[in-house]
Amino acid sequence: MTVAPPWRRRGTPLRGRDELLARLRAATGTQVLYGLGGVGKTSLALELAGSFAAEGAPVWWVAAQDGARLAGGLRAVARRVGLGEEELATGQTADLLWERLAALAGPWLLVLDPAAAHAELTAVLDARTRVLGPGHPVTVATREAVERTGRTLPE
């Protein structure tokens, strides 16, 4: 399962989103981009990912439209940051992943897109808050506002 950002989907440069992109770049915690289909949530998340990648920061992109894809994507990210199969077999993938990400030196970005509200997403984001606290950015792009994820954008 790939967790690379879909760079090929980057189109023309974003226009009129500089302020929002700067707010996302400066934000910590979970940021939720939500709105109707086609308004640019994924494009904005890709620009954000590009700004992190340009600085050499690791960026992971996980499909989260259902529990199975979310779990598979998180396991793939976990392997990339050094978690082994024995650790992943404990059933605590989210907690272990967040702990490992918190220990990384320097910035990183995890994007969950497309995301849909479901119990597994809520559990993963709750674990993120429990382990990481308010630091480290996670960006969620969805057509619906996701409860219990922190601040939502746009405001």
Side-chain angles (χ1 to χ4, degrees), residues 15-104:
R15 298 186 198 290
R17 297 288 183 105
D18 293 339
E19 181 184 330
L20 185 54
L21 188 59
R23 286 176 46 206
L24 281 169
R25 185 68 175 117
T28 59
T30 303
Q31 303 300 309
V32 180
L33 305 173
Y34 68 95
L36 298 173
V39 299
K41 300 174 298 292
T42 296
S43 296
L44 187 59
L46 274 169
E47 285 299 313
L48 180 64
S51 74
F52 273 80
E55 295 176 4
V59 176
W60 302 280
W61 196 281
V62 173
Q65 63 264 52
D66 59 55
R69 289 186 185 147
L70 175 61
L74 292 179
R75 289 177 69 84
V77 173
R79 287 184 193 99
R80 283 175 175 75
V81 296
L83 288 170
E85 291 304 317
E86 285 183 20
E87 292 168 296
L88 295 175
T90 66
Q92 301 297 316
T93 301
D95 284 349
L96 293 169
L97 173 59
W98 298 127
E99 288 170 3
R100 185 62 59 99
L101 290 173
L104 292 178

